[in-house]
Amino acid sequence: MTTPDVPHRIELTCELPAPPEQVWEAIATGAGLTSWFLPTEIEGRPGGRIVTYMGESDSSAGEVTGWDPPRRLEYVEPDWADLADREPGPVTPLVTEFLVEARSGGSSVLRVVSSAFGTGADWEQEFFDGMEEGWLPFFAHLELYLRDFAGRAATAVQAARTVGTTAAPTWAAMVADLGPLE
């Protein structure tokens, strides 16, 4: 049996147009996470449960292991092999940490770090590469949420359509009926 000794890690950073307390509400509450990420339930305390719903029948449950408002949230998902649609195997839990740092002018920087140890199987690096790529659009959602909709409850909706134009007129058409953004 192969033991988990191959490190895997991603670290992503984004600048956000909000103070740390507002970023904290967006990353450490169920309503906040659901507004820009995926439908999520979280018990905000060490030992609390976190569940992220990734579709009708797919979810990931974990435990909050670090809680230092408004600076640090950490949680552990016990079996990332299962998240990768693999048989549970000899991997360590997946640890994800959100770190919020204040910047001048009322803005913040959010750093998200996910790490685990695996056995070196090809699928493990593919999983981490896909997870890193998957985070990027969510950072754009978070920036938009904090800039234009902070504190508002949102319902996650995914829609797709191929259009023969650039992004700017498409976006303008999509938000035209929302009214003035505060």
Side-chain angles (χ1 to χ4, degrees):
M1 179 174 183
T2 307
T3 59
D5 65 355
V6 177
H8 296 285
R9 176 185 167 95
I10 62 168
E11 181 173 329
L12 300 165
T13 303
C14 69
E15 294 184 33
L16 298 168
E21 295 77 16
Q22 210 171 25
V23 174
W24 182 259
E25 286 298 314
I27 66 166
T29 66
L33 283 161
T34 298
S35 293
W36 65 272
F37 184 51
L38 294 168
T40 302
E41 297 171 2
I42 183 171
E43 293 176 61
R45 61 177 176 77
R49 183 171 163 84
I50 181 169
V51 181
T52 304
Y53 299 94
M54 297 173 273
E56 290 182 24
S57 61
D58 200 12
S59 65
S60 177
E63 178 183 343
V64 175
T65 52
W67 185 262
D68 183 18
R71 294 180 288 279
R72 181 175 171 272
L73 165 65
E74 178 188 272
Y75 60 90
V76 174
E77 295 167 283
D79 193 1
W80 55 281
D82 188 49
L83 290 174
D85 292 327
R86 302 292 176 158
E87 289 296 319
V91 296
T92 65
L94 175 65
V95 178
T96 300
E97 185 176 35
F98 289 76
L99 300 162
V100 182
E101 182 180 321
R103 291 285 200 237
S104 63
S107 64
S108 301
V109 170
L110 174 64
R111 187 164 39 120
V112 178
V113 181
S114 290
S115 60
F117 284 89
T119 62
D122 289 342
W123 69 265
E124 295 171 358
Q125 190 57 50
E126 291 170 11
F127 174 81
F128 270 79
D129 290 346
M131 186 170 52
E132 182 172 5
E133 185 178 319
W135 266 113
L136 297 177
F138 287 115
F139 283 153
H141 297 170
L142 177 58
E143 182 180 0
L144 174 69
Y145 172 73
L146 289 169
R147 187 184 67 231
D148 297 330
F149 303 103
R152 295 184 186 175
T155 300
V157 176
Q158 292 185 356
R161 181 172 182 203
T162 303
V163 295
T165 187
T166 61
T170 303
W171 181 252
M174 288 173 53
V175 299
D177 290 337
L178 291 178
L181 301 178
E182 299 170 359

